[in-house]
Amino acid sequence: MRRTQGNWSIWVAAVAGAVAADLGFALRQLWLEPRAHNGDLVWWLDLPLGAVPYGLLMLALCVPALAAARMGPPPWAFVVRPGRFVAPPALWLRVISVEAAVAAWGMVPVIMLSWRIVAPGDSLRVPGVTGVLLALAATVIAWRVRRRTVTLTPEGLTVREVWDTEITQPWDQAASELVADPRSLRWIDARFLTRVVDHYWADPTHRAAIGTAEEHQRLTELLGPRTPSVTRTRSVTRPVPAPWIDDAACCPPSGCLEVLAL
């Protein structure tokens, strides 16, 4: 794969961005907030100085995600796992969700320390519980984003969204329309994903090899960006009632057959 999900430079930048965001938040809460509370800062300096740490926080959170988004178009390749091919979520979406979760946990002690400085006699239960709940919510969102995948197995196709229940279809019933949206925010080219689904739907010969490096190489060579698109067609038969049969009645087995192209 030309660009892998384990791009360490992006993930290192994400962790560094989360740490920088925590430092900016700590600067605001532990240095500026107590001085503003005690009246040590003039009023017209409170707002601009207070906005700087939050600006640094947002910048630190967004830069790694923007760097991941600018890595170019999604690859024409899957992540190969034993027994399956996986189309993972978009890299920038994973980066910003993980970064926000890491930053949220780092902000919990900052919130508690700032509360202790500003209100030394008050209990830390409310700010502590609030911070932990926010961090837990960010962690759950990051975990749910990771499950937004399309998985191909020898048995069929499974589409998972962030909050929706998963959709599993056997190959004989697999619909490429489920994965055809180019705005699906997955780290794979939507055209390649659609071609692969149509290929396995039409040809069961290689389904058993799904999840092997050899089969993945065959797919990229056969259905890569230089391969012209293939129209998905199939024929099914259904009985057509004779003209003397009521339309509402069930068609007899001896009725004519009409071939439909879907």
Side-chain angles (χ1 to χ4, degrees), residues 48-73:
L49 288 179
V52 169
Y54 287 117
L56 293 176
L57 187 151
M58 297 304 300
L59 183 64
L61 288 176
C62 293
V63 166
L66 291 176
R70 292 180 62 84
M71 290 181 65

Side-chain angles (χ1 to χ4, degrees):
M1 185 186 295
R2 185 170 44 128
R3 295 178 298 275
T4 64
Q5 290 295 302
N7 191 304
W8 289 108
S9 61
I10 292 296
W11 291 108
V12 169
V15 174
V19 173
D22 288 335
L23 291 176
F25 185 70
L27 175 64
R28 174 68 176 87
Q29 295 298 115
L30 301 181
W31 189 75
L32 289 176
E33 186 68 23
R35 282 160 178 77
H37 182 76
N38 296 330
D40 297 337
L41 290 178
V42 293
W43 65 270
W44 52 272
L45 281 178
D46 186 21
L47 182 60
L49 288 179
V52 169
Y54 287 117
L56 293 176
L57 187 151
M58 297 304 300
L59 183 64
L61 288 176
C62 293
V63 166
L66 291 176
R70 292 180 62 84
M71 290 181 65
W76 291 62
F78 291 95
V79 175
V80 181
R81 303 295 186 199
R84 65 189 188 275
F85 294 145
V86 181
L91 182 57
W92 69 267
L93 188 62
R94 295 179 60 194
V95 166
I96 198 170
S97 63
V98 170
E99 188 180 16
V102 173
W105 283 108
M107 292 176 185
V108 173
V110 176
I111 293 174
M112 298 179 69
L113 285 175
S114 65
W115 189 272
R116 176 65 71 189
I117 294 173
V118 174
D122 294 346
S123 173
L124 296 177
R125 182 177 300 175
V126 173
V129 171
T130 302
V132 169
L133 289 178
L134 291 176
L136 284 175
T139 303
V140 170
I141 292 174
W143 176 75
R144 297 291 295 188
V145 165
R146 288 180 60 87
R147 76 182 297 275
R148 197 177 194 279
T149 59
V150 176
T151 304
L152 279 60
T153 65
E155 291 75 28
L157 169 73
T158 300
V159 179
R160 295 183 179 92
E161 298 295 341
V162 175
W163 301 111
D164 298 338
T165 56
E166 64 183 47
I167 301 175
T168 301
Q169 294 181 336
W171 282 119
D172 293 339
Q173 303 175 6
S176 58
E177 291 79 7
L178 288 175
V179 298
D181 188 359
R183 302 166 298 176
S184 60
L185 300 181
R186 294 187 176 92
W187 192 237
I188 191 172
D189 192 282
R191 293 166 294 177
F192 177 66
L193 184 56
T194 302
R195 292 180 184 183
V196 171
V197 172
D198 286 341
H199 173 70
Y200 284 129
W201 169 82
D203 184 9
T205 307
H206 301 279
R207 293 175 186 171
I210 292 178
T212 63
E214 295 77 11
E215 174 64 8
H216 187 264
Q217 182 177 358
R218 186 189 72 85
L219 286 178
T220 55
E221 295 175 354
L222 178 66
L223 304 173
R226 297 183 180 180
T227 306
S229 60
V230 180
T231 304
R232 177 187 177 104
T233 59
R234 58 176 167 173
S235 296
V236 297
T237 60
R238 73 175 185 184
V240 177
W244 58 84
I245 300 295
D246 186 7
D247 291 341
C250 178
C251 179
S254 59
C256 301
L257 295 180
E258 177 185 24
V259 179
L260 300 178
L262 300 182

